[in-house]
Amino acid sequence: MTLTPNFYQDRLCLNVLAGSKENARAIWQAAEGHVLVGVLSKNYASNEAAIADMREYAALIDNALSVGLGAGDPNQSKMVSEISAVLQPQHINQVFTGVGMSRALLGQTQTVVNGLISPTGTPGKVKISTGPLSSQRSDGIVPIETAIALLKDMGGSSVKYFPMGGLQAINEYRAVAEACARQDFWLEPTGGIDLNNVEEIVRIALDAGVSKVIPHVYSSIIDKDSGETRVKDVRQLLKICKKLLA
């Protein structure tokens, strides 16, 4: 069982949601393995139920499992850490303050653990108060360089930048990408990303020199009726990735 995501040319790996186990397997095949398949902890009533079901997902996709919070819900932070300690997935989504717990419980450094930071309206400044308690208080705003250093201190792998609103926070996002490149840290742009803007969003990160990028493309490629991610859209995303790194 591999704990490391399968990056295309060691630079890009997609992150999309699965609506079912069959959908997960189809997504993974369509992306030629260059994908992390998200399953949300919020959809389960207990740790035991999540572990049992997610283990079946992982078996179908060579452990390319991304354990999710559920719309960045800070109240899911502890559950994500606890179930991931058992599952040992390739990828964990965490709020900023949950990174240390996740890394410690994993007991290894290979799994990607991101930390959620948010735009503030000011390039170079980010909000790190995304945890269960801190998100209920006044915004904790720090320089992006400090946020990255804190994530490194906690054993984090990457910045999850959310919610971007697609291209709305593009100047702030560019500052985050440049800081990630300077500090050799990975970047996961998230929120409002679709087939029309993903190329520009990923290109900004690559051009800035970010070593590894994991774009999250969620609701825009989910079929409203079935609740499943459209496999043809995943193929299109892979095609875009290959074009960017041609």
Side-chain angles (χ1 to χ4, degrees):
M1 179 179 74
T2 177
L3 299 175
T4 307
N6 182 10
F7 287 87
Y8 179 72
Q9 288 194 13
D10 209 33
R11 295 291 301 278
L12 285 178
C13 189
L14 300 167
N15 191 306
V16 303
L17 294 175
S20 67
K21 294 183 184 72
E22 295 76 15
N23 192 214
R25 178 72 176 174
I27 287 166
W28 182 70
Q29 291 174 330
E32 298 175 9
H34 304 296
V35 67
L36 292 156
V37 181
V39 183
L40 305 178
S41 62
K42 198 171 186 175
N43 294 342
Y44 298 92
S46 67
N47 285 11
E48 293 73 22
I51 289 165
D53 201 47
M54 288 190 193
R55 186 172 272 140
E56 293 181 10
Y57 273 92
L60 292 169
I61 54 177
D62 196 26
N63 202 40
L65 177 68
S66 172
V67 178
L69 296 157
D73 185 353
N75 296 313
Q76 293 300 118
S77 178
K78 185 168 180 283
M79 183 179 184
V80 164
S81 289
E82 290 172 345
I83 65 178
S84 295
V86 178
L87 290 165
Q88 296 286 307
Q90 289 183 3
H91 186 267
I92 297 174
N93 292 278
Q94 259 301 2
V95 294
F96 190 89
T97 55
V99 170
M101 178 187 283
S102 282
R103 181 60 75 197
L105 290 181
L106 281 168
Q108 41 87 357
T109 59
Q110 293 167 272
T111 293
V112 175
V113 181
N114 68 31
L116 173 57
I117 64 176
S118 301
T120 61
T122 303
K125 297 292 181 70
V126 295
K127 184 174 83 169
I128 62 171
S129 50
T130 59
L133 298 177
S134 57
S135 61
Q136 304 302 311
R137 302 296 181 182
S138 299
D139 287 351
I141 297 174
V142 302
I144 178 58
E145 289 83 359
T146 302
I148 292 171
L150 287 165
L151 286 171
K152 284 185 170 185
D153 282 344
M154 293 187 287
S157 313
S158 55
V159 165
K160 180 176 181 178
Y161 197 52
F162 172 85
M164 281 180 54
L167 296 170
Q168 291 177 23
I170 205 69
N171 290 329
E172 290 182 74
Y173 169 65
R174 188 174 280 109
V176 170
E178 290 168 353
C180 283
R182 283 195 299 271
Q183 293 177 246
D184 192 23
F185 207 58
W186 302 353
L187 178 56
E188 305 190 30
T190 320
I193 303 178
D194 57 32
L195 291 173
N196 295 317
N197 61 27
V198 66
E199 184 173 342
E200 182 175 354
I201 288 168
V202 174
R203 180 181 284 116
I204 287 170
L206 294 175
D207 286 352
V210 180
S211 56
K212 285 182 172 61
V213 186
I214 305 174
H216 292 229
V217 190
Y218 283 178
S219 58
S220 66
I221 60 170
I222 293 176
D223 183 88
K224 301 293 186 290
D225 295 325
S226 69
E228 300 201 335
T229 289
R230 291 185 291 269
V231 176
K232 66 179 177 63
D233 288 354
V234 175
R235 290 195 191 94
Q236 180 63 24
L237 287 169
L238 181 63
K239 187 177 178 181
I240 292 168
C241 288
K242 288 182 175 181
K243 174 186 173 185
L244 284 164
L245 293 175

